[in-house]
Amino acid sequence: MRILNLNRMNDALFKHIFAKNPDITLSLINAVFESRGTELISEIEFIDRVLDIDEDDGKESRLDLLGRSPDGTVVNLEIQVASQEYMGRRSLYYWSRLYNDLKSGEDYTELKRTVTINILDFNLFNKKLYPDYHSCFGIYDAKTGNQLTSDCELHFLELPKWKLKSIEDTNRLERWLSYFSKKTKPEELEEIAMIEPTIEKAC
């Protein structure tokens, strides 16, 4: 196959490919979950990306990609090229709006696992404090580190921290990062696509 030299971090291209192919999106999401040992999902259906305004003067938000699995897990996928130092707060804001989904009369047990995945073409976190390309945040006790709930996951994938070394030794997430990274050569991506069918389809 011939790999086109495209900017796969382009917002329109991302939505065109992923919003029309649930299997591709599911592969990417589970690659992220797999990397951090959190629960995988079996299916994904796309839902309305616009967050309603709660009040007359509230802020409307239009998400890049939003999906829900059969067990109720909600996943928001965002890509961001321009450096934004407030990206952490933005992601937390999206998460809180999505998590706040109870209807009148519903019990708190109806709240569902809500996940944001941010693919960034810049370093959000200090490289000395966060040398890894993948950071995952939740809600934990400051003293013991015990988790309050597994409902909260905020993932950040920083492409500048990712470097392809050996294609044979890559895991599924690293192959997806190679797909998005502008440092990946077409011939390298072609080899990766041969290993990962959903990446081949996304190309």
Side-chain angles (χ1 to χ4, degrees):
M1 66 175 294
R2 180 172 174 268
I3 299 293
L4 298 177
N5 191 18
L6 302 173
N7 176 13
R8 293 178 176 81
M9 285 294 288
N10 176 274
D11 188 64
L13 180 63
F14 172 78
K15 291 172 186 173
H16 175 75
I17 294 174
F18 285 81
K20 293 184 178 181
N21 297 280
D23 56 331
I24 294 175
T25 305
L26 183 65
S27 174
L28 172 59
I29 290 170
N30 277 334
V32 174
F33 292 167
E34 213 170 61
S35 179
R36 280 296 177 267
T38 57
E39 187 177 349
L40 307 187
I41 57 176
S42 58
E43 297 176 41
I44 191 79
E45 66 168 341
F46 300 119
I47 54 180
D48 189 3
R49 298 180 293 114
V50 178
L51 299 180
D52 294 333
I53 300 173
D54 292 332
E55 302 173 357
D56 292 339
D57 60 348
K59 180 177 178 63
E60 181 183 74
S61 301
R62 182 177 292 273
L63 309 178
D64 283 350
L65 203 61
L66 186 63
R68 181 184 288 118
S69 71
D71 69 357
T73 297
V74 175
V75 183
N76 168 220
L77 263 171
E78 297 286 319
I79 60 169
Q80 183 63 44
V81 175
S83 180
Q84 294 184 354
E85 62 180 19
Y86 54 81
M87 193 69 200
R89 288 183 172 180
R90 174 180 160 181
S91 185
L92 182 60
Y93 176 77
Y94 287 171
W95 177 88
S96 65
R97 293 286 306 276
L98 294 168
Y99 190 62
N100 179 23
D101 194 34
L102 288 182
K103 306 297 187 294
S104 177
E106 288 185 332
D107 191 81
Y108 291 112
T109 57
E110 297 297 318
L111 289 167
K112 301 298 182 183
R113 175 192 181 198
T114 302
V115 182
T116 66
I117 298 174
N118 305 277
I119 304 172
L120 310 177
D121 205 17
F122 60 93
N123 287 339
L124 176 63
F125 306 116
N126 184 292
K127 290 179 70 174
K128 290 185 178 180
L129 297 176
Y130 296 89
D132 193 10
Y133 57 82
H134 183 189
S135 299
C136 179
F137 297 87
I139 301 175
Y140 302 88
D141 177 72
K143 183 177 181 180
T144 66
N146 293 328
Q147 190 176 40
L148 175 66
T149 174
S150 60
D151 284 359
C152 178
E153 287 181 42
L154 281 73
H155 295 264
F156 298 89
L157 302 166
E158 299 168 282
L159 290 177
K161 292 179 181 177
W162 160 245
K163 184 177 180 181
L164 179 63
K165 295 178 182 177
S166 169
I167 293 174
E168 293 77 13
D169 296 330
T170 54
N171 60 37
R172 186 155 52 142
L173 178 57
E174 291 168 337
R175 290 192 283 272
W176 271 114
L177 292 179
S178 298
Y179 170 86
F180 286 107
S181 176
K182 58 190 175 187
K183 294 181 286 188
T184 306
K185 299 175 183 177
E187 57 269 24
E188 292 173 327
L189 189 54
E190 183 175 350
E191 189 175 343
I192 288 167
M194 293 175 66
I195 302 171
E196 197 70 47
T198 48
I199 290 180
E200 180 179 13
K201 186 176 179 181
C203 288

